[in-house]
Amino acid sequence: MKILLCFGTRPEAIKMAPLYHELQKSDFLVKVCVTAQHREMLDQVLDFFEIVPNYDLNLMQANQTLNSLSAKILFKIDEVLIKEKPDLVFVHGDTTTSTMVALAAFNLGIKVGHIEAGLRTYNKHAPFPEEMNRQITGRLADLHFTPTPSATLNLLNEGINKNIIFQTGNTIIDALLFAVNKIKDKNYSHPEIDELKEVLKVDKKIILVTGHRRENFGEGFQNICEALLTISQREDVIIIYPVHLNPNVKDIVYELLSNNENIHLIKPVSYPAFVWLMQQSFLIVSDSGGIQEEAPSLGKPVLVTRTVSERPEGVIVGFSTLVGTDKSKIITTIDSFLDNFKGFKSLDSPYGKGNSSNQIVDCIKSEFL
């Protein structure tokens, strides 16, 4: 049986990497195609997880529109699918790559497996364009691998046949545990981690910040930055912010947060370096979905700079707190955690135990072999 894994961004690569290696151990012919919707960040992950793509469409261009990217993916993946004729195509989550590859496979009568299926906010503008991407991919998929009971319920409520839904947990936990073990190996070294150890050689509580969501461009990021400026006045904290390369993020962050001794603005870091940063942090401020999934396994609280999350499990049990981009709410919530948080009573993550890839492979074997 031939399986083609398709992905284009760093988060997709992280979550597909453990599945790729698990498939390699089994009786499958596995091929990988990357669209390089993200280029440099994608390459770092491929290197860390030792994956060499069979096809690299290399589609990243500066300032490209969603429509132009969508058209290019649909056109270029057609050539790969026609040549390889896979029995099953795996796509992940909610990216433009996932949706366009799923559509191309559907048009050619090729079965689609959707990893991290069923996440929903039911607000097509939040997150944008991810919410519509995942809904469209969900209608095209033949097999749905959901991370949580709520994701499974979403699909059932949408009329998806229960016999093609498999609740497996999230492969991001598989990847995270792999990375944690690799980083702590005494024979492993990484220049970025060595540099970060020097930057963070302080006896302070570390706040790790990330941000990239389109819906926060403009006023949203300005409010977040102003809140961080206020927090940086505390003597017991240091803020480290790997700044996204998108000019809509980078320009305003550097304008407002540069030249502050308690704020370190750095370029985006590699996946192992970021895992190390999460391990060192006291709390995380982010609009990332993946971080909401990873942080519980590390015991780190996340302040989510969004008004709604398609990952409600972490919010319900208290691992994540929705703060939106309300300046005063961000400040008061961060202050409260800094002053009162003593750790979670349990680190039982709602997103899996690190065996999701194995479960997915078992499902495929039962369905096809």
Side-chain angles (χ1 to χ4, degrees):
M1 178 182 180
K2 183 186 289 187
I3 296 177
L4 179 68
L5 279 67
C6 295
F7 49 90
T9 67
R10 167 170 146 160
E12 288 172 282
I14 292 168
K15 295 181 180 184
M16 291 285 249
L19 176 59
Y20 166 79
H21 286 294
E22 196 64 38
L23 287 167
Q24 289 278 55
K25 298 175 186 176
S26 303
D27 296 323
F28 299 109
L29 175 58
V30 186
K31 297 291 185 74
V32 173
C33 175
V34 297
T35 64
Q37 183 179 330
H38 293 171
R39 179 73 274 172
E40 181 180 350
M41 293 186 288
L42 171 67
D43 291 343
Q44 292 171 350
V45 174
L46 293 173
D47 180 64
F48 181 72
F49 286 102
E50 300 178 7
I51 298 174
V52 179
N54 302 94
Y55 297 92
D56 188 336
L57 305 186
N58 196 27
L59 298 181
M60 182 176 178
Q61 291 185 7
N63 301 315
Q64 63 187 345
T65 66
L66 289 173
N67 286 336
S68 65
L69 174 62
S70 298
K72 286 186 286 187
I73 294 172
L74 195 60
F75 178 72
K76 295 297 292 185
I77 196 63
D78 201 45
E79 301 173 5
V80 177
L81 294 174
I82 291 172
K83 179 180 178 180
E84 288 294 339
K85 296 181 175 59
D87 299 290
L88 178 66
V89 174
F90 271 122
V91 297
H92 183 280
D94 52 23
T95 68
T96 301
T97 288
S98 298
T99 304
M100 291 300 103
V101 170
L103 178 59
F106 168 77
N107 287 340
L108 293 172
I110 299 170
K111 290 186 179 298
V112 175
H114 188 196
I115 309 299
E116 198 182 83
L119 277 63
R120 298 287 187 271
T121 65
Y122 293 109
N123 177 346
K124 67 180 182 180
H125 298 294
F128 174 87
E130 288 85 356
E131 177 63 16
M132 288 312 301
N133 283 342
R134 65 171 66 104
Q135 289 199 36
I136 293 168
T137 304
R139 304 313 301 180
L140 294 167
D142 299 280
L143 301 170
H144 307 258
F145 300 94
T146 60
T148 62
S150 63
T152 298
L153 184 59
N154 287 336
L155 293 180
L156 292 172
N157 289 338
E158 293 171 14
I160 302 298
N161 187 330
K162 65 179 181 180
N163 295 323
I164 60 171
I165 301 173
F166 307 92
Q167 189 174 300
T168 60
N170 200 309
T171 58
I172 197 171
I173 307 303
D174 305 23
L176 176 67
L177 297 182
F178 172 87
V180 167
N181 288 329
K182 187 170 183 176
I183 291 169
K184 73 179 182 182
D185 189 308
K186 63 181 181 180
N187 296 318
Y188 181 77
S189 63
H190 196 288
E192 282 184 301
I193 294 176
D194 293 339
E195 291 177 14
L196 289 169
K197 287 179 179 178
E198 292 300 315
V199 171
L200 299 177
K201 193 182 290 184
V202 290
D203 185 21
K204 293 184 177 183
K205 293 177 179 178
I206 297 170
I207 299 176
L208 175 61
V209 182
T210 77
H212 69 282
R213 294 288 180 190
R214 286 178 174 84
E215 60 264 33
N216 288 343
F217 288 173
E219 183 180 358
F221 273 107
Q222 180 169 336
N223 289 342
I224 294 167
C225 289
E226 290 176 355
L228 294 174
L229 276 175
T230 299
I231 293 298
S232 71
Q233 295 172 15
R234 293 181 54 136
E235 295 183 356
D236 61 340
V237 305
I238 184 169
I239 297 169
I240 186 157
Y241 190 162
V243 184
H244 200 279
L245 298 177
N246 188 312
N248 292 294
V249 179
K250 184 178 179 181
D251 292 351
I252 193 167
V253 170
Y254 273 91
E255 178 184 348
L256 295 177
L257 299 183
S258 293
N259 304 316
N260 185 308
E261 65 178 3
N262 279 342
I263 301 177
H264 293 276
L265 304 180
I266 62 175
K267 65 181 182 179
V269 297
S270 64
Y271 177 63
F274 192 79
V275 170
W276 184 87
L277 277 176
M278 287 195 292
Q279 290 180 289
Q280 310 313 308
S281 67
F282 183 84
L283 67 84
I284 303 170
V285 179
S286 179
D287 58 17
S288 165
I291 290 173
Q292 292 176 62
E293 296 159 343
E294 293 167 315
S297 294
L298 300 174
K300 310 300 179 179
V302 181
L303 275 62
V304 184
T305 51
R306 295 165 57 185
T307 56
V308 63
S309 175
E310 65 279 19
R311 295 164 173 87
E313 303 84 5
V315 177
I316 291 170
V317 298
F319 288 117
S320 303
T321 303
L322 294 174
V323 295
T325 58
D326 183 304
K327 177 181 174 182
S328 61
K329 187 173 184 179
I330 295 171
I331 293 170
T332 56
T333 307
I334 292 177
D335 278 333
S336 178
F337 271 99
L338 290 171
D339 295 334
N340 303 309
F341 181 66
K342 304 299 182 183
F344 296 115
K345 293 181 180 179
S346 170
L347 297 183
D348 189 13
S349 171
Y351 301 109
K353 301 182 182 299
N355 63 344
S356 299
S357 298
N358 182 266
Q359 291 188 60
I360 293 170
V361 172
D362 286 345
C363 291
I364 297 302
K365 287 181 178 178
S366 67
E367 289 292 309
F368 291 95
L369 298 184

